[in-house]
Amino acid sequence: MTKDDEKVIPVRVALRCRPLIPKEVNEGCQCCLTFVPGEAQVIVGKDRAFTYDYVFDSTTEQEEVFNTAVSSLLSGLFKGYNATVLAYGQTGSGKTYSMGGTYTSAQEHDLSVGVIPRVINRIFLEKDNKTTVTVSYLEIYNEEILDLLSGSKEKPSISIREDPKEGIKIVGLTEKVVCSATEMVGCLEQGNSARTVGSTAMNSASSRSHAIFTTTLEQRRSADRSDSVVSKLHLVDLAGSERQKKTKAEGDRLREGISINRGLLSLGNVISALGDESKRGTFVPYRDSKLTRLLQDSLGGNSHTLMIACVSPADSNMEETINTLRYADRARKIKNKPIINIDPRTAEMQRLKQQVQELQVMLLNARGGVSQVLCGSEPLRNMSEILEKNSCLQDENSKLSRELSEAVGQTAQMFERIITTEQANENLQSKLVELKQHAALKIDLQRVVESLEDQELKENVEMIQNLQQVILQLQDENAGITASIEAMTSEHCNFLDGEGELRPRVGVPGTPNLMTADKGTLEAFTTQHALQQAQKSKELLELNKILALKEAFVKEMCQGNSQLEPMQIKYQENMKGLQSAVGSLQKEKEELILDLHSAKKDITQAKLSEQRKQRLQELESQITELKKQLQEQAKLLKLKESSLRNVSKLNQEIQAMKVQRAQLMKQMKEDSEKFRLWKHKKEREVLQLKEK
Ligand code: ADP
Ligand code: MG
């Protein structure tokens, strides 16, 4: 094995943005993504940039995606490496389009086909006659594996087993040997028809199911059948990533676990665990779902993996798009260790050889009397040192947990204060606007003062004049306050962002069960509580970030709209003028036609009628020109209407998010209070016990 083979490589991520679809164009959606030419970077809104291994904007053709991102995986496949391509994204973002999962043989000459048909062609172009190709096709729906190639209506029992040498195996799954591209496409078609027939609820369910099309290559290296290289390629069209009813999930984590697609949820957890430097080498929750179990080797295992993160450019999808961008960003941090899959027996032999060598070295050391393994008192001392260190670390851990939980409590309080300040400020602002528009402000009091004779009246008016100035000053101050609130929030975000990903322990929903906990678990619950609170705090931050983005967007759109306002009024006037112009021209035209008609009979009037004909033509072209203008203006007006609709939709979303934020905060406060009481009680119990 060369150095290169042992190299650890991250999961590669390609971001793909589809064009706006006609429905989005009709609804007046705008594009909220910007691409930097020559850089693998995408910018959301104004300045949030994300970088990936590849970024494909909406003009990128299927062929380019394949050549740039997928082709090298296939070269690896033939060298014996496993490979996986995952398409991730919300429903309608282009996963199936990119993967080409619904390809049929009728599309043979179609240039817009996706990854799967291209892979099939390439495999049969490249393979030699010592290579056997096998396919399987399965679907995971509701945590159930459906064999799409079984051909029978009965569901055979399928189980997943982990072989220490060969990795993950699916027992009971149909695997078909195929000898030509046509035959392989046949399998794909058969599987797809099973997918749609499989369940009547599947149409709405297809966006909730994962489809995995797997190709296995077995390349014999000599006449001996056992001397072969086996490599697998998984092509995965994941379920839609949109979060369902996120607002409700807050109160009831258990229900959330059931209603949200478990596969994507645990895929996210696996990605987090693998992507976090600080958690390297710790437990990865592959077993939480069928999907992560099947893809265990593709994520952080023995595979070259590409994630195609699909997004829609429409502003109406901005929230989901940001979620996808962040998810994909985490995936990039995963490191895989692909190895060439030689025959398990050969691999075992190599492993044994290495073990023998290591044992020999140990034996030599032992004979020389310097072995650390066999010495008597040495390990014991080491042991007690380790134990001591361990208990120190445990102490420090519980101290840090306590501090963390306090800090999180404070954070929540501060957030609350920021929000109440924000609300008060908004109220003030609207009052100020009212005041500013008040007619009293527009009276030129200076002139009134000068023209007044009565001294007392004069003084009173001067007082009012002062008041006018105070109002103006207030307005300035208010702007200052808004700016400082914004600064505070962003500072806060930066502070918490530095913490890395925090995950509460899996499988313990809600607050710790106060009744069943005994004194021994006090520390553990303290830690868990702190982590849970910190997680909520992070959710809060997420919410705040998205809120800020949305608010900025609305502001921008409103500005655009207010610029449109005078234009709109002008247009409306223009339109009236144009309409009456069209009317009068039409009348003139009709009169002319009548004249022409009567003139025909009179030969002497031929010349005159020629002129009239010309005039008629002129009139006609003028009329069409005016009508065109009318149409254009109507179109512009419609555009403005739809953008107004968008603004109000966004505003509604913002309101809903604010409510969600308040709920989350309330819950954090309640949790923290409950926890405080519980802890207090427990500590008293412990004291009593000690006294006894
Ligand atoms: P998903 O599988 O993610 O739910 P689809 O692949 O079905 O989404 O795509 C939704 C729609 O967008 C389809 O009509 C598809 O043809 C179109 N579409 C997706 N990606 C592209 C693209 N890159 N270019 C052109 N049309 C696309
Ligand atoms: Mg799809």
Side-chain angles (χ1 to χ4, degrees), residues 424-460:
N425 198 38
E426 265 169 31
N427 284 346
L428 265 178
Q429 221 158 10
S430 66
K431 289 249 167 66
L432 266 174
V433 171
E434 256 172 51
L435 263 178
K436 202 186 159 198
Q437 282 163 354
H438 200 284
L441 267 183
K442 296 199 181 92
I443 305 173
D444 188 347
L445 291 171
Q446 194 58 40
R447 259 192 19 224
V448 179
V449 170
E450 278 160 17
S451 65
L452 274 176
E453 300 286 308
D454 185 333
Q455 187 55 31
E456 201 183 334
L457 206 58
K458 221 170 173 172
E459 273 169 20
N460 280 345

Side-chain angles (χ1 to χ4, degrees), residues 194-295:
R195 239 191 131 175
T196 40
V197 174
S199 152
T200 42
M202 206 56 100
N203 262 349
S204 62
S206 79
S207 61
R208 318 237 72 203
S209 80
H210 314 287
I212 308 185
F213 187 73
T214 305
T215 311
T216 310
L217 291 191
E218 186 180 349
Q219 303 176 83
R220 283 178 303 282
R221 296 198 290 198
S222 65
D224 178 7
R225 221 187 156 272
S226 69
D227 183 21
S228 63
V229 179
V230 180
S231 51
K232 269 184 203 297
L233 168 69
H234 294 300
L235 300 168
V236 191
D237 190 348
L238 288 170
S241 65
E242 58 278 0
R243 294 193 189 165
Q244 308 269 320
K245 301 181 198 77
K246 178 87 164 85
T247 16
K248 280 193 202 144
E250 244 50 89
D252 196 342
R253 285 187 181 266
L254 252 172
R255 258 218 329 261
E256 178 191 23
I258 297 164
S259 64
I260 290 191
N261 191 312
R262 172 121 64 105
L264 285 182
L265 202 68
S266 49
L267 183 62
N269 287 339
V270 167
I271 285 176
S272 289
L274 290 167
D276 188 345
E277 287 288 341
S278 66
K279 293 209 178 64
R280 188 114 316 145
T282 58
F283 172 73
V284 181
Y286 289 115
R287 282 173 185 268
D288 282 359
S289 74
K290 295 267 168 32
L291 177 72
T292 43
R293 193 92 172 91
L294 288 182
L295 297 181

Side-chain angles (χ1 to χ4, degrees), residues 58 77 145 558:
S58 57
L77 188 75
I145 299 180
C558 283

Side-chain angles (χ1 to χ4, degrees), residues 16 18-19 21 90-97:
R16 184 168 204 202
R18 65 157 167 72
I21 52 174
Q90 78 180 109
T91 303
S93 59
K95 296 182 295 297
T96 306
Y97 179 88

